[in-house]
Amino acid sequence: MSSENSFDIVSKLDIQELTNAINQAEKEIATRFDFKGSKSSIALDKEELVVVSDDDFKLQNVLDILQSKMAKRGISLKNLDYGKVEPAASGTVRQRIKVKQGIDQDNAKKINILIRDSKLKVKSQIQGDEIRVTGKSKDDLQQVMTLLRKADLPLELQFINFR
């Protein structure tokens, strides 16, 4: 048995689940009475959602529908970065929503500081867009997971490769 235990901290969004949530939201928009004749749509373009609707009010309703479908599918809304509402073609409005994948450097540093300040006997290192945490005791590693779950971070974290 290895004397070192470790796990990785990542922030990934399941694109297939997001696509399913978008499809469900599109179906609901197509059947709802208040969207009859509306030019409302949701499209996934690589790492970005593009939401289009007739006006700000309908755009907000489309976003509410999308967010509820995402929540039902277990997709965290923390991984979305909302852009400004901008005018689009033929009198519609558009909003671009960036889908955040991975842990950016600023948040990785915050997580490292949180782990270091916890005084647990673990080491953490940034590896690209994820963080590897190692330590001798599995209990310490589980305390780190609990600490990070309770911390109010601007992104959803997953813990993988626990060994």
Side-chain angles (χ1 to χ4, degrees):
M1 187 169 128
S2 168
S3 63
E4 285 282 308
N5 297 304
S6 69
F7 69 90
D8 295 332
I9 304 169
V10 296
S11 179
K12 299 266 189 256
L13 191 99
D14 188 351
I15 297 297
Q16 185 59 50
E17 284 295 322
L18 180 61
T19 305
N20 292 342
I22 291 169
N23 290 340
Q24 285 183 334
E26 291 258 302
K27 281 182 187 172
E28 183 172 329
I29 290 166
T31 59
R32 278 186 40 173
F33 177 76
D34 54 338
F35 284 104
K36 282 273 190 269
S38 161
K39 297 179 186 126
S40 300
S41 69
I42 307 167
L44 180 62
D45 182 35
K46 293 178 187 140
E47 296 292 308
E48 192 173 62
L49 283 169
V50 180
V51 182
V52 178
S53 194
D54 296 338
D55 53 48
D56 286 339
F57 180 72
K58 280 195 175 148
L59 181 75
Q60 198 56 50
N61 285 343
V62 171
L63 288 175
D64 288 345
I65 293 168
L66 177 63
Q67 289 169 350
S68 72
K69 298 300 179 190
M70 288 174 66
K72 283 181 185 168
R73 293 196 148 276
I75 302 169
S76 173
L77 301 177
K78 286 183 175 181
N79 288 20
L80 299 179
D81 188 22
Y82 296 91
K84 286 191 289 202
V85 177
E86 55 196 38
S90 63
T92 59
V93 290
R94 173 187 332 128
Q95 185 170 19
R96 295 185 184 278
I97 305 168
K98 190 174 181 306
V99 177
K100 293 189 269 186
Q101 293 278 37
I103 303 173
D104 58 270
Q105 288 298 315
D106 293 338
N107 285 317
K109 287 176 185 173
K110 284 180 193 171
I111 292 169
N112 265 347
I113 291 169
L114 272 172
I115 293 171
R116 197 175 327 118
D117 291 347
S118 70
K119 303 287 189 238
L120 293 168
K121 293 181 180 173
V122 295
K123 292 183 292 236
S124 61
Q125 59 190 134
I126 301 170
Q127 297 179 332
D129 63 349
E130 56 185 53
I131 300 171
R132 164 90 28 102
V133 180
T134 56
K136 289 195 185 314
S137 167
K138 284 188 176 183
D139 291 340
D140 285 348
L141 294 178
Q142 288 176 334
Q143 284 180 320
V144 169
M145 288 182 192
T146 305
L147 171 84
L148 293 175
R149 281 191 188 107
K150 289 180 180 171
D152 186 31
L153 295 167
L155 46 109
E156 184 70 21
L157 299 177
Q158 293 90 30
F159 307 105
I160 59 171
N161 298 335
F162 188 80
R163 45 178 166 270

